[in-house]
Amino acid sequence: MSDRWWENSVIYEIFPRSFKDSNGDGIGDIQGIILKLDYIRDLGVDAIWLCPIYKSPNDDSGYDISDYYSIWNELGTMEDFHRLVAELKKRDIKLIMDLVVNHSSDEHEWFIESKKSKDNPYRDYYIWKTGKNGKKPNNWLATKVGGSAWEYDEGTDEYYLHIYSKKQPDFNWENPRVRQSIYDIMKFWIDKGVDGFRMDVINKIAKEDGLPDVKRKVGDTREYLPAEQYFQNHPKVHKYLKEMNKEVLSKYEGIMALGQTQGLTPEDAYLYTGEERNEINMFLQFEHVELDKKGNRKLDFDLVEFKRIINKWQIALDGKLWNTIFFGSHDLSRSVSHFGNDKKYRIQSAKMLATILLTLKGTPIVYFGDEIGMTNVRFSDIDDYRDIRTSNIYKERVLEGKEDIKRVMEDIWEISRDNARTPMQWDLSKNSGFTNGEPWIKVNENYKEINVYNNLIDENSIYNYYKKMIRLRKNNDVLRKGEFKLLLEKDEYVFSYIREWNNKKVLIIASFSDEEIKVNLDLEALNDFNNCQLLISNYENKYEDISDINLRPYEVRVYSLNN
Ligand code: GLC
Ligand code: CA
């Protein structure tokens, strides 16, 4: 395997609180993950990415860390962590830890010190400013949480910056001591055996000098304005990442850094991940999963636009940089509900999405539960939701905005992050076999139908399809390395493309329709079309002929051409 192991890997993302509870307190934990490692290995993935497992007051599900050197007691102990590392090594599975260093929790010791006085040695670990004429230091909006990005502290009569919730104060990356402290944290975990980091909102760590006000457009009456232009992909971020690379990553063999980098162009992506840039290795871009969302509202999904975005990013990869591919995560809704049909064609569309995920260029990330086709959840009572962003949508739109509850709940059912955070559905027993206790968030009611147990005993299940697809990708250079070429760009229902490597071609044809549709491939462009072999499909297919194709609902076929 090459040095850059991640380029040949499939990653499995786990939201630990929802995976498997081993001790009956209703919260998934590290021992629970250990219990399920054989299941994960059998799927065929190479690495797991764990959402944060550090000590946290849980304002934002662990993305608010109060101690980077200890394990969240709800999830286990350091001893459990060591066991996890050992058990993963035994199975040859790599471990990627989430690293949240744009901000800490306000309950972190550094912040508690920082708040004590203006001359405290930790004061400059965070970003403090005096108010402007008795008002906030500037008009920045707190991302996704609403309200001002500044919180007043009476003790020292200053405000601190938090681009997320007020319990997530931003670090001051200008301070070399802060940067050093972060590098120390990374080394600590590398020494414990982790193989890489998923770096939370890493493209937001550098803020514009002077923290200027966002210019208000005429007629805009909002008090606080989105300020990404001043802290997202700021040029200074590259200085920090180069230093991080030099101080940490370059000192070890094979440690991978995956940056969460919203709102970037392929040119920006190159600046972060180009090999000779010496910054990080891979990035997460969100355009294709956010195209049907505006703020807190769900819009219609447009396949042509989706293909345009995928195409843009796939082409950008050719020879220049490396990307990840994902359709779901702990921040998104369930992929089969989002892009497929989670009712009548749930099984077909989940398999179709698995096929695309695993035949595009880049490192695929499978979000736990997608491999059994878990779906969005619809809690009728807002109190059943746990996610801070979901309660904020409710607060903003229903309580303050006086919008119709039904309308808002419909959006929440589509976009709430809790859709992806309900417990893993293991079997048909109470609480889906996730816990013997009371789960911290309700289990999706459909668990008696959708669960791992049913998937394992059925040869044609979504799980077994994922397994086959992962194996197919592993054994196929074209699928891992090949160039990407989009076909049928304007077709509203068909997603079709070719991957090509060393004169070998693979053709993928997928339907995003609930109905049977005819595919009009340009066969001239596909020379050698009469010499093709079906590699995999989510339907029974007898004929290896692509000159006349009718696709059934959500049907997908993968052909190897001129082999
Ligand atoms: C990232 C995480 C998300 C978290 C936010 C703030 O977007 O994926 O879950 O809320 O950062 O840390
Ligand atoms: Ca537990």
Side-chain angles (χ1 to χ4, degrees):
M1 206 184 253
S2 89
D3 202 12
R4 294 165 64 86
W5 56 266
W6 49 91
E7 293 187 359
N8 290 313
S9 294
V10 176
I11 298 174
Y12 187 71
E13 180 191 353
I14 297 177
F15 188 73
R17 296 178 75 74
S18 304
F19 196 59
K20 171 72 187 164
D21 174 24
S22 71
N23 62 355
D25 66 356
I27 302 169
D29 45 49
I30 297 176
Q31 287 291 352
I33 298 173
I34 296 173
L35 287 172
K36 297 299 182 183
L37 284 182
D38 285 343
Y39 167 79
I40 295 170
R41 179 205 50 209
D42 291 350
L43 185 59
V45 299
D46 308 275
I48 58 171
W49 146 24
L50 293 186
C51 295
I53 57 170
Y54 317 89
K55 190 174 171 203
S56 164
N58 199 17
D59 178 57
D60 185 15
S61 300
Y63 285 88
D64 49 318
I65 297 170
S66 55
D67 182 356
Y68 291 88
Y69 292 99
S70 52
I71 300 288
W72 198 348
N73 59 349
E74 293 182 347
L75 304 188
T77 61
M78 194 57 92
E79 221 179 299
D80 295 336
F81 179 78
H82 290 155
R83 227 193 107 209
L84 173 67
V85 170
E87 294 295 327
L88 283 166
K89 290 246 179 321
K90 266 193 219 162
R91 293 167 179 82
D92 206 13
I93 300 173
K94 302 220 189 283
L95 174 60
I96 301 165
M97 292 276 271
D98 221 309
L99 185 75
V100 188
V101 288
N102 171 70
H103 46 266
S104 70
S105 160
D106 66 336
E107 295 180 35
H108 193 290
E109 200 192 315
W110 297 335
F111 189 74
I112 295 172
E113 284 299 314
S114 180
K115 218 174 148 176
K116 281 186 180 158
S117 67
K118 289 185 185 166
D119 54 11
N120 187 286
Y122 287 95
R123 185 68 170 183
D124 285 344
Y125 263 53
Y126 297 87
I127 302 173
W128 290 94
K129 259 196 131 178
T130 45
K132 239 179 13 198
N133 317 321
K135 286 217 204 113
K136 315 273 176 184
N138 69 24
N139 63 2
W140 292 9
L141 176 79
T143 309
K144 310 265 162 70
V145 207
S148 169
W150 295 92
E151 183 69 11
Y152 182 60
D153 168 52
E154 228 169 71
T156 56
D157 189 29
E158 280 191 337
Y159 296 80
Y160 65 86
L161 178 72
H162 59 88
I163 61 176
Y164 290 94
S165 94
K166 64 178 183 204
K167 288 189 66 63
Q168 296 167 297
D170 284 56
F171 279 123
N172 173 18
W173 274 75
E174 296 259 320
N175 180 349
R177 283 178 56 222
V178 166
R179 304 203 298 270
Q180 208 48 58
S181 299
I182 289 164
Y183 307 152
D184 290 345
I185 293 166
M186 295 172 76
K187 289 180 195 157
F188 173 85
W189 291 101
I190 294 172
D191 291 342
K192 287 205 176 292
V194 318
D195 303 286
F197 299 99
R198 177 264 185 192
M199 299 179 160
D200 192 60
V201 294
I202 201 69
N203 64 336
K204 300 188 182 172
I205 58 178
K207 276 84 181 173
E208 175 76 20
D209 291 341
L211 311 167
D213 271 324
V214 177
K215 241 180 130 183
R216 188 179 303 277
K217 290 208 182 92
V218 185
D220 193 341
T221 55
R222 291 174 299 173
E223 195 171 2
Y224 305 111
L225 303 174
E228 272 75 9
Q229 55 179 304
Y230 291 137
F231 60 71
Q232 192 160 278
N233 302 314
H234 190 281
K236 269 193 297 186
V237 68
H238 299 292
K239 195 180 96 194
Y240 301 147
L241 292 179
K242 281 197 192 318
E243 185 185 82
M244 175 189 286
N245 185 295
K246 183 161 161 265
E247 295 288 320
V248 186
L249 303 172
S250 72
K251 300 206 163 133
Y252 302 84
E253 279 294 307
I255 298 292
M256 185 278 299
L258 162 61
Q260 187 201 11
T261 49
Q262 223 135 0
L264 82 177
T265 62
E267 291 72 32
D268 294 327
Y270 173 75
L271 296 179
Y272 286 103
T273 58
E275 236 185 301
E276 55 293 339
R277 296 274 307 164
N278 296 318
E279 295 189 15
I280 58 176
N281 310 105
M282 295 199 288
F283 61 100
L284 297 159
Q285 66 79 22
F286 293 79
E287 261 183 276
H288 65 298
V289 286
E290 288 183 337
L291 81 167
D292 53 355
K293 240 190 294 184
K294 191 165 192 314
N296 295 326
R297 284 159 218 273
K298 172 79 173 70
L299 313 175
D300 287 340
F301 174 72
D302 174 355
L303 183 69
V304 174
E305 177 62 5
F306 181 78
K307 291 192 291 190
R308 187 191 63 76
I309 296 169
I310 299 264
N311 185 41
K312 173 175 102 181
W313 285 99
Q314 290 282 299
I315 284 175
L317 298 193
D318 281 338
K320 291 188 249 59
L321 51 129
W322 193 255
N323 193 2
T324 52
I325 305 290
F326 64 94
F327 296 148
S329 84
H330 67 288
D331 289 331
L332 300 167
S333 45
R334 283 283 169 191
S335 62
V336 71
S337 305
H338 190 173
F339 301 110
N341 174 324
D342 65 4
K343 303 207 168 54
K344 191 161 172 206
Y345 298 111
R346 186 182 64 87
I347 294 177
Q348 292 85 342
S349 59
K351 290 178 183 174
M352 183 275 287
L353 290 166
T355 313
I356 295 186
L357 182 77
L358 290 150
T359 55
L360 286 173
K361 190 166 186 178
T363 298
I365 306 177
V366 178
Y367 184 64
F368 89 91
D370 277 1
E371 78 278 19
I372 56 166
M374 278 174 63
T375 67
N376 281 354
V377 74
R378 292 177 166 220
F379 296 140
S380 49
D381 188 345
I382 187 68
D383 291 336
D384 285 332
Y385 285 89
R386 298 283 174 267
D387 166 35
I388 176 181
R389 268 186 213 170
T390 308
S391 27
N392 275 319
I393 299 178
Y394 190 81
K395 187 171 135 246
E396 233 173 66
R397 291 180 55 183
V398 178
L399 303 182
E400 292 162 7
K402 305 279 177 256
E403 263 184 73
D404 176 34
I405 279 203
K406 254 186 82 199
R407 180 79 246 319
V408 177
M409 287 310 284
E410 270 164 21
D411 273 346
I412 286 179
W413 292 339
E414 298 271 1
I415 64 174
S416 167
R417 301 196 294 184
D418 280 339
N419 280 315
R421 297 178 181 188
T422 59
M424 179 65 161
Q425 294 163 205
W426 293 105
D427 57 38
L428 287 79
S429 67
K430 191 163 178 253
N431 291 320
S432 73
F434 163 70
T435 179
N436 296 328
E438 210 29 63
W440 69 277
I441 183 169
K442 281 189 176 170
V443 175
N444 194 320
E445 274 175 0
N446 61 23
Y447 76 89
K448 291 213 163 129
E449 181 203 342
I450 305 173
N451 57 57
V452 170
Y453 177 84
N454 284 349
N455 269 263
L456 292 179
I457 56 175
D458 173 7
E459 203 191 315
N460 289 317
S461 66
I462 300 171
Y463 174 87
N464 279 315
Y465 188 89
Y466 261 89
K467 228 170 129 164
K468 268 187 240 156
M469 235 357 279
I470 291 173
R471 212 177 311 137
L472 181 66
R473 181 184 177 91
K474 283 252 160 74
N475 296 323
N476 192 312
D477 280 351
V478 186
L479 292 182
R480 288 196 321 279
K481 306 179 190 168
E483 282 186 12
F484 172 93
K485 186 163 168 258
L486 182 64
L487 308 173
L488 302 176
E489 205 181 314
K490 296 278 180 262
D491 195 300
E492 287 170 56
Y493 300 108
V494 179
F495 187 12
S496 178
Y497 48 94
I498 290 185
R499 300 287 311 278
E500 179 169 3
W501 175 254
N502 273 349
N503 293 322
K504 283 197 198 144
K505 285 186 193 156
V506 173
L507 168 68
I508 293 95
I509 318 171
S511 163
F512 276 70
S513 171
D514 290 346
E515 275 150 42
E516 184 161 324
I517 42 168
K518 180 155 180 51
V519 183
N520 301 306
L521 283 175
D522 176 2
L523 296 172
E524 294 293 310
L526 296 174
N527 48 30
D528 297 315
F529 68 86
N530 47 11
N531 182 16
C532 63
Q533 185 202 345
L534 184 71
L535 297 177
I536 195 165
S537 170
N538 58 350
Y539 279 81
E540 286 280 320
N541 271 302
K542 290 199 196 73
Y543 306 105
E544 305 196 334
D545 176 6
I546 56 171
S547 58
D548 182 22
I549 293 183
N550 282 317
L551 288 181
R552 287 155 283 187
Y554 296 98
E555 179 167 358
V556 64
R557 301 188 197 175
V558 180
Y559 291 99
S560 119
L561 305 180
N562 59 328
N563 47 333

